[in-house]
Amino acid sequence: MSDSREEPDVELPGSSGYAATVEVQPERVGRVRTAYAPDPDGDPDPGEIVWTWVPYEESDGRGKDRPVLIVAREDQGTLLGVQLTSRERAGQPEWLPLGAGPWDRSGRDSWVGTGRVLRVHPAGMRREACALDRARFNRVVHRLQQVYGWR
């Protein structure tokens, strides 16, 4: 019997190698530029929700393809992002309600997690979903600035 969380044999973008999506320590990433700059060019940009492989919090080598809000661009060409979920997260302070949007084909409400920051390589992105509106992007960035001291 197989584990329902078992990953397929097909390697997903962002799951390994130089373009792997990894969790970072947000207090140690250096200068963070959070300028809202979506551009529907197929590359991830701050303000966009993209799909990439995200490692599970257990850091056991497993993960899942999921939506990630890109919040900042790093000098070396990588980006910083925070994951989204459609699982109810009300009452959990590290999760901000985001509402519904075109990144979820079922139209479900989503939450964005501010407790983990991910480094996304442009080659590790599976697809660009949409741009988040500036007001919701600014709300997420403001929370990250409060929590991690980003300026």
Side-chain angles (χ1 to χ4, degrees):
M1 186 175 276
S2 68
D3 180 349
S4 63
R5 289 173 49 147
E6 191 174 313
E7 296 304 306
D9 290 338
V10 176
E11 196 167 293
L12 293 170
S15 65
S16 65
Y18 79 96
T21 300
V22 296
E23 187 171 351
V24 296
Q25 294 180 339
E27 302 88 356
R28 296 185 177 179
V29 295
R31 183 171 178 255
V32 176
R33 293 186 309 239
T34 58
Y36 182 76
D39 181 7
D41 58 359
D43 293 325
D45 300 298
E48 293 177 352
I49 295 174
V50 303
W51 283 80
T52 186
W53 184 88
V54 174
Y56 290 140
E57 291 183 47
E58 294 85 5
S59 298
D60 60 5
R62 296 179 303 151
K64 180 179 180 179
D65 190 47
R66 63 181 322 115
V68 170
L69 171 62
I70 301 298
V71 295
R73 184 175 306 284
E74 294 184 287
D75 289 337
Q76 65 267 32
T78 52
L79 301 114
L80 299 175
V82 288
Q83 74 181 38
L84 277 65
T85 186
S86 58
R87 290 183 57 201
E88 174 71 38
R89 299 292 182 161
Q92 297 179 23
E94 67 274 9
W95 291 90
L96 283 176
L98 203 58
W103 59 87
D104 184 285
R105 291 181 181 154
S106 300
R108 299 172 292 186
D109 283 342
S110 292
W111 283 259
V112 62
T114 59
R116 288 177 81 198
V117 175
L118 304 164
R119 177 169 286 135
V120 177
H121 190 283
M125 178 191 81
R126 182 172 61 82
R127 74 176 174 90
E128 190 176 63
C130 65
L132 188 65
D133 61 86
R134 187 183 293 266
R136 289 192 281 185
F137 174 81
N138 286 343
R139 200 176 55 171
V140 172
V141 166
H142 181 70
R143 173 69 62 88
L144 293 167
Q145 289 171 335
Q146 289 177 317
V147 172
Y148 301 118
W150 293 353
R151 293 289 159 236

